[in-house]
Amino acid sequence: MEYAKGLLDEIGLGGERLEMYLLSSAEGARFAEIATEMTERIRALGPSPLRDGSSAETTKE
Amino acid sequence: MIVGEQKPLDEIKAMIADYEKVLVVGCGTCVTVCFAGGEKEVGILVSSLRMATKLDGQNKEIIEATVQRQCEHEYNEEVAERIKEADVILSLACGIGVQTLTEQFPEKLTLPGLNTTFLGQPMEQGVWSERCQACGDCVLAFTGGICPIARCSKSLLNGPCGGSQKGKCEIDPNIDCAWQLIYDRLKALDNLDLMLQIKPVKDWSTSRDGGPRHIIREDLRLEATS
């Protein structure tokens, strides 16, 4: 996880776009909380800098 | 095995800055086992470079291939056509692989994507340690199988120096004193007499000091050449 975040930082995309949470299937409320938290974080960061529509193939990666 | 580490992405980006079509070539042997330059690492690097160079506003085509053993011509022939198409080759093999591609495909520049670090062994998942310096005149028979050339910071041959502290080397408390290891090993083998045999000054001409080395095995050659 740390490695993948480091890679995203090195690339210039930002490691904070990626997160991993551990929770069980019984924790519905926590799942919703996490989904909200990540949605807010990504909204605050804005769209991926790669998402300019010029290369759909690259953005898939 | 030969152990290597991938160069920082910024250094790799700078190396390929002037080229449009880059072929990243991995190696399926040592650097695959040490997670530095195998098929998986090639894939990650290629994706990283595609994204990073795009973010930098460059328009590059970055393609990939991995051969079984980059230090042998016959394996590299498999990617000869792809090499022809590329503007530059970025090798994720050790320095031997880089130079093999250089000699085999002299019309193309081959760049090193790894730093070749040492000859060593995996200690645990994610940890490698140097074990051999390829000195060309193995002394392991006299040292209980522990190499004082590679593992003693001073490559001493007749016991430890004054910097041996509680079994550790003075240059780093995380490095074992090779001669402490050798003593403990010979004691366990009931062979401490070997410690008393004075080793003469080592002939380093079999090592790098003798210049670049070659081995010629006439019994193996397909035709005699001078």
Side-chain angles (χ1 to χ4, degrees), chain A residues 1-40:
Chain A
M1 188 61 196
E2 288 307 309
Y3 171 74
K5 284 168 89 78
L7 266 180
L8 291 177
D9 277 333
E10 211 176 6
I11 291 164
L13 280 175
E16 65 275 22
R17 291 178 181 277
L18 183 69
E19 208 57 72
M20 187 172 81
Y21 297 90
L22 289 174
L23 70 166
S24 85
S25 55
E27 296 176 85
R30 175 72 185 128
F31 178 80
E33 210 176 277
I34 288 168
T36 308
E37 185 185 316
M38 276 308 283
T39 306
E40 283 169 5

Side-chain angles (χ1 to χ4, degrees), chain A residues 10-11 50 52 54-55 61, chain B residues 9 44 50-51 54-55:
Chain A
E10 211 176 6
I11 291 164
L50 282 172
D52 63 3
S54 65
S55 172
E61 289 165 333
Chain B
L9 194 65
I44 293 170
R50 282 178 187 156
M51 290 188 272
K54 186 169 189 289
L55 285 175

Side-chain angles (χ1 to χ4, degrees), chain B residues 69-96:
Chain B
R69 199 149 59 232
Q70 214 177 102
C71 54
E72 292 195 44
H73 285 216
E74 63 194 90
Y75 294 101
N76 297 334
E77 282 302 332
E78 293 168 16
V79 293
E81 286 305 313
R82 308 197 73 189
I83 285 174
K84 274 185 202 159
E85 294 165 15
D87 296 328
V88 74
I89 307 165
L90 178 69
S91 166
L92 283 197
C94 67
I96 307 166

Side-chain angles (χ1 to χ4, degrees), chain B residues 90-118:
Chain B
L90 178 69
S91 166
L92 283 197
C94 67
I96 307 166
V98 175
Q99 292 177 77
T100 305
L101 288 180
T102 296
E103 289 166 27
Q104 193 172 350
F105 303 100
E107 68 283 5
K108 290 286 154 77
L109 175 64
T110 301
L111 299 166
L114 298 191
N115 290 321
T116 308
T117 322
F118 53 74

